[in-house]
Amino acid sequence: MVNEPETDESFELWDLRVEAIVPPGVKVYCGARAGDYFELKGEMLTLPPGQGVSIYSLAAVLPLLAAKQRATHPNDWMTTDAEIACPDPNCQSRLRIVRTGRTRFRRSETTAVPLPARRAE
């Protein structure tokens, strides 16, 4: 690898789609409907018109989304495990996190904090 100055301030994050999985014929208590979803690109969460998501279900999946957006090692469980149970113990629905593509971001557009100075090695 050639030691070149890092002038490219870009980085990539996975775009995510979080889909409601509702087993056929079961009663759900969180309001999820099979096929409902929301998408996450960077920090922006979007829902299609007419769809919603329970704040309790969102609270269950939210801590995992930033980690799912980052590149992970193939052996890391975060790479493969993708279904989150509804937090209501009486509800059988799940939320499935699907990586759908990648978006490139520029550091200067996402933070005002400068990178620390690099030491020569």
Side-chain angles (χ1 to χ4, degrees), residues 64 68 76-84 97:
L64 303 173
K68 282 298 248 187
D76 187 338
W77 68 270
M78 189 59 71
T79 303
T80 56
D81 297 19
E83 290 194 9
I84 311 307
I97 305 169

Side-chain angles (χ1 to χ4, degrees), residues 75-98:
N75 292 333
D76 187 338
W77 68 270
M78 189 59 71
T79 303
T80 56
D81 297 19
E83 290 194 9
I84 311 307
C86 177
D88 182 334
N90 297 304
C91 186
Q92 296 181 40
S93 71
R94 295 186 169 290
L95 290 175
R96 178 179 295 148
I97 305 169
V98 179

Side-chain angles (χ1 to χ4, degrees), residues 7-80:
T7 56
D8 181 10
E9 63 164 321
S10 67
F11 62 97
E12 288 186 340
L13 294 176
W14 284 100
D15 302 327
L16 304 177
R17 181 179 176 113
V18 181
E19 305 169 343
I21 307 300
V22 180
V26 302
K27 181 167 177 64
V28 296
Y29 298 95
C30 62
R33 296 176 304 189
D36 281 357
Y37 68 93
F38 64 85
E39 294 180 320
L40 185 65
K41 278 191 175 187
E43 64 185 46
M44 298 306 297
L45 186 147
T46 58
L47 290 118
Q51 289 188 27
V53 62
S54 158
I55 62 168
Y56 305 108
S57 297
L58 185 59
V61 74
L62 197 59
L64 303 173
L65 297 180
K68 282 298 248 187
Q69 286 184 301
R70 269 110 182 124
T72 51
H73 189 278
N75 292 333
D76 187 338
W77 68 270
M78 189 59 71
T79 303
T80 56

